[in-house]
Amino acid sequence: MTPEQAVPVIAIDGPSASGKGTVAGCVATALDFHYLDSGALYRAIGWVVLEHGVNLEDELTISNIALNLNVDFCGNQVRLGTRDITKAIREERVSLIASRVAALPKVREALLERQRAFRRPPGLVAEGRDMGTVVFPGAALKIFLTASAEERAERRYKQLMEKGMHASMTTLLQDIRERDARDSRRSVAPLQKSADAVLLDTTGLPVKEVVRRVLALYKKAQRAP
Ligand code: DC
């Protein structure tokens, strides 16, 4: 086992707006672990693609953007070089492009080592779609978080409203369903629960309760031989 592999990882995967971000952030804080929001990497690439009008068929150019992405996470801020793109990458137009670039195999490959580099002592909570299946297959605990599409659309709606951003429930629900379908059907690292992941359906559950369950599962996983 390399020193890196000895660092525990909690992998939290699941569909859009399933609450992964909030839950993963709280679990990382509770354990004083590092935190990786892998979706933010795909979103940052999507943002650059939009900004420069790159053709979505041009996989080579987009994978080069991924390899050279000068992205930084400072607290809750996502920075690209000197620009603060925290808010911009949450816009629906970026969500749609992020889902398209995430389906490109070369882009996923380009991000692999960058994501693995987040595994540093004392531990890492990593959230996304393929954390437990591809990026950290040896994770100490794998969680697959889900919730009904309607509840997820409602959560996204509230989030956007709180941020003062415009949204329509009908469009959000439609976007979520489209993205679920694309994320689940793509040929590389599709969104799927691995056999060794614990399924947590958060429909109707408050964040606090979900966090409590994840922490309890982690404690149990640590005790397992
Ligand atoms: O989790 P999110 O909604 O911020 O992710 C944005 C997009 O990136 C989403 O369409 C799925 C994709 N993604 C992915 O394919 N693999 C990951 N590990 C994380 C996100």
Side-chain angles (χ1 to χ4, degrees):
M1 195 187 275
T2 65
E4 234 166 60
Q5 284 166 336
V7 177
V9 175
I10 298 180
I12 304 185
D13 290 306
S16 296
S18 54
K20 296 182 310 282
T22 315
V23 170
C26 292
V27 171
T29 305
L31 296 170
D32 212 8
F33 277 13
H34 297 282
Y35 167 53
L36 166 63
D37 169 5
S38 61
L41 295 173
Y42 291 97
R43 286 173 179 275
I45 298 166
W47 184 85
V48 176
V49 164
L50 268 177
E51 182 87 347
H52 294 281
V54 179
N55 185 336
L56 280 165
E57 309 288 315
D58 190 350
E59 185 168 355
L60 195 63
T61 300
I62 304 177
S63 64
N64 276 325
I65 292 174
L67 273 178
N68 299 306
L69 198 69
N70 185 14
V71 72
D72 250 326
F73 295 95
C74 326
N76 289 331
Q77 244 189 29
V78 186
R79 301 189 72 85
L80 195 73
T82 55
R83 295 179 77 164
D84 180 357
I85 57 165
T86 320
K87 204 169 162 191
I89 60 167
R90 300 291 154 196
E91 286 174 17
E92 280 304 294
R93 64 189 190 110
V94 178
S95 303
L96 293 176
I97 303 294
S99 165
R100 298 279 299 273
V101 302
L104 302 172
K106 283 192 170 62
V107 172
R108 305 199 72 87
E109 203 182 301
L111 288 184
L112 258 187
E113 284 319 307
R114 186 191 288 264
Q115 294 174 94
R116 288 183 177 147
F118 278 81
R119 186 178 202 165
R120 292 190 308 269
L124 173 70
V125 181
E127 58 116 332
R129 304 294 188 287
D130 60 344
M131 297 297 99
T133 49
V134 178
V135 185
F136 302 107
L141 174 66
K142 299 179 185 179
I143 302 278
F144 193 84
L145 266 199
T146 187
S148 69
E150 290 74 15
E151 178 149 336
R152 288 186 284 129
E154 210 167 295
R155 288 178 188 169
R156 187 69 101 200
Y157 181 82
K158 280 187 193 151
Q159 267 177 4
L160 291 172
M161 285 295 147
E162 277 163 17
K163 287 179 188 158
M165 290 155 93
H166 172 75
S168 131
M169 263 299 285
T170 319
T171 314
L172 284 176
L173 186 57
Q174 198 180 325
D175 285 354
I176 276 187
R177 288 197 169 127
E178 261 175 41
R179 235 177 307 150
D180 278 359
R182 194 166 30 238
D183 293 345
S184 312
R185 282 191 215 128
R186 68 181 176 224
S187 58
V188 187
L191 168 68
Q192 57 182 28
K193 179 192 159 306
S194 59
D196 53 355
V198 180
L199 178 72
L200 255 181
D201 186 340
T202 70
T203 310
L205 284 184
V207 173
K208 226 173 146 182
E209 173 57 17
V210 182
V211 172
R212 194 195 62 75
R213 289 191 194 182
V214 174
L215 289 172
L217 285 165
Y218 180 58
K219 260 195 195 144
K220 199 169 143 199
Q222 278 179 308
R223 282 198 302 268

